DNA sequence: TATTATTGTGTCTTTTTGATACAATGAATG
DNA sequence: CATTCATTGTATCAAAAAGACACAATAATA
């Protein structure tokens, strides 16, 4: 709920946004052999939340989410998938919101539109970690990466949302090229394997993984990378084209 | 959008429902070796639509959908899955809605809440065809089954919704017991195979299908069914317990 | 030059899948 | 009542995929 509200004046009433509808995004990146996600920390509260926002009255849902993601990451053409809509009544918690608003000097009248009930459409995005320039929003003082296996406590049902995003991501492994979006243009076989291991949550046989990936025809091999490490230099690979996946 | 509005009085203003939020359901059933879905036909319009409804202000999204499904089918404990939320601006079409409202004697003022923009959360449900007692709603004069490979033209983006529901259903084949929900308690191997063939949209080898299903350990075999047909009587099977699937 | 930590490949076994064959069964046929 | 017919249950064989593991290649380092 670290909501993107570019112009805080608009926030005073919610007239520019569709009432009751929000989105949250789980942004995955890969670095240091770990799968990570983006979290916002609210100013003066110690509260962590997923980046999210509202949907302009004249805006397609997808476009609203994409715009929010692009603004926060500085990237364009982001790969994203909608995975679930959270609509329980009890996902609201006025006390948390009031705390955030108070810490930001926003008057929290009892019938403030932000305190009303919201249904949240959740998306996950896969981005190239290295390419991102993070940009916190008006209410947050930080926007940073956290490994999915060591997240801080999140507000509201955001923990559940992350859980479901991971599930959805694992699912899509069957049908989509995940590595392509999470890794830079060129990468080693080891990095690719680590991405899959992180997502699937299990160890894979190195030799067999390599065999399958090569056999899939998805990869193009480039010149070897000289790492300066005490062993054979690994080849670099890149994705060639979109085909059905291997798993 | 054949919306369940039990009390038409409530409809006059949308105060009892969350603004801008609707749901649509794609109800799958299996009969006569075909996969079918439920469609509503609006009175005096010839327009077909998915059954749907709105979300009460104090109601969980899932519960609202479940309640609507139960009311329409007369069943309880329905298996349902949310699969996508449709949020494009242009999914609205005031002229269609006005036509429906007019045909039902509802005054369609320019700012009627039904004519406002709606985001629709879509669910699919799997039900035992034979157990259903269909129940049209106030705006519809029929509620009936149509084979998915021969649907009439649907209003708005409902065609797209059905398309996506089928996709989602195919996906879930990898991980869920679909036959269990679409077939009666006991069924023949042939019926089970037909369900899978309908959903996957491809022919399966009878002998291999049988082998895999038996090997999966999901099925319990019962006494053979004497059909009166000129051949060996097939065994009846039922599902034993929930395990990970075979495909 | 041997050692070490990888990476790239080869190969053997096991499991899964696809294709096909065939026996069993219950009614219909004459 | 034997024969034919349609369909079901099971077996079998070959091909493909997956899992396990061995080993050669290579770049730094000692």
């Amino acid at each position: 709920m670290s909501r993107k509200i570019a112009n805080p004046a608009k926030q005073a009433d919610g007239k520019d946004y569709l009432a009751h509808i929000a989105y949250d995004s789980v942004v995955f990146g890969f670095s240091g052999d770990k799968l990570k996600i983006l979290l916002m920390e609210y100013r003066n509260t110690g509260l962590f939340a997923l980046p999210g926002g509202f949907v302009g009255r004249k805006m397609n849902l997808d476009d609203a989410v994409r715009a929010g993601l692009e603004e926060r990451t500085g990237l364009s053409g982001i790969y994203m998938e909608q995975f679930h809509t959270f609509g329980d009544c009890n996902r609201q918690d006025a006390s948390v919101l009031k705390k955030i608003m108070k810490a930001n000097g926003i008057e929290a009248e009892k019938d403030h539109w932000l305190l009303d009930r919201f249904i949240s459409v959740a998306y996950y995005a896969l981005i190239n970690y290295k390419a991102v320039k993070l940009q916190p929003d008006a209410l947050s003082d930080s926007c940073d990466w956290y490994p999915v296996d060591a997240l801080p406590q999140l507000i509201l049902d955001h923990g559940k949302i992350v859980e479901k995003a991971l599930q959805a991501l694992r699912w899509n492994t069957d049908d989509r090229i995940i590595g392509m979006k999470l890794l830079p243009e060129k990468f080693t076989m080891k990095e690719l394997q680590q991405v899959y291991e992180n997502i699937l949550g299990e160890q894979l046989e190195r030799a067999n993984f390599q065999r399958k990936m090569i056999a899939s025809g998805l990869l193009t091999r480039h010149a070897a990378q000289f790492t300066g490490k005490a062993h054979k230099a690994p080849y670099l690979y890149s994705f060639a084209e979109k085909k059905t996946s291997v798993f």
Side-chain angles (χ1 to χ4, degrees), chain A residues 54-208:
Chain A
F54 303 104
V55 182
R57 289 190 156 267
K58 297 266 164 77
M59 214 167 187
N60 289 341
L61 174 58
D62 283 353
D63 294 340
V65 178
R66 182 172 296 285
L69 284 173
E70 292 187 348
E71 198 170 335
R72 263 209 243 283
T73 61
L75 301 175
S76 62
I78 293 175
Y79 175 87
M80 56 177 227
E81 292 277 345
Q82 187 198 295
F83 65 92
H84 196 73
T85 296
F86 295 82
D88 278 7
C89 292
N90 62 9
R91 43 172 263 110
Q92 256 57 234
D93 183 342
S95 67
V96 169
L97 287 189
K98 280 180 189 162
K99 187 170 172 186
I100 294 168
M101 293 166 76
K102 201 165 187 180
N104 282 272
I106 299 173
E107 194 59 44
E109 315 101 60
K110 205 180 168 99
D111 60 347
H112 192 286
W113 69 290
L114 277 172
L115 297 176
D116 205 342
R117 178 177 171 194
F118 276 89
I119 278 181
S120 177
V121 187
Y123 286 71
Y124 70 81
L126 305 179
I127 67 179
N128 177 356
Y129 184 91
K130 286 177 188 165
V132 182
K133 289 266 167 296
L134 294 178
Q135 189 76 43
D137 67 22
L139 297 180
S140 316
D141 64 354
S142 83
C143 180
D144 226 331
W145 293 100
Y146 296 81
V148 290
D149 58 6
L151 296 178
Q153 168 105 56
L154 303 181
I155 63 167
L156 308 181
D157 58 352
H158 288 202
K160 224 171 76 183
I161 295 178
V162 171
E163 204 48 56
K164 197 125 188 166
L166 266 166
Q167 254 178 252
L169 186 54
R170 275 185 204 121
W171 266 101
N172 283 7
T173 304
D174 287 330
D175 209 25
R176 280 176 202 279
I177 305 157
I178 299 244
M180 181 160 62
K181 303 298 177 181
L182 283 171
L183 290 170
E185 172 78 15
K186 295 185 180 179
F187 48 86
T188 65
M189 191 59 80
K190 178 165 202 171
E191 289 172 315
L192 184 59
Q193 184 176 343
Q194 283 173 332
V195 167
Y196 276 97
E197 286 180 338
N198 263 273
I199 291 173
L200 298 175
E202 62 182 320
Q203 298 290 109
L204 302 173
E205 269 300 312
R206 184 183 60 84
N208 297 334

Side-chain angles (χ1 to χ4, degrees), chain A residues 177 213 216-220 238-246:
Chain A
I177 305 157
M213 288 310 301
S216 77
L218 290 170
L219 300 179
T220 309
S238 65
F239 282 96
E241 56 178 314
K242 195 160 182 175
K243 290 197 191 178
T244 59
S245 166
V246 220

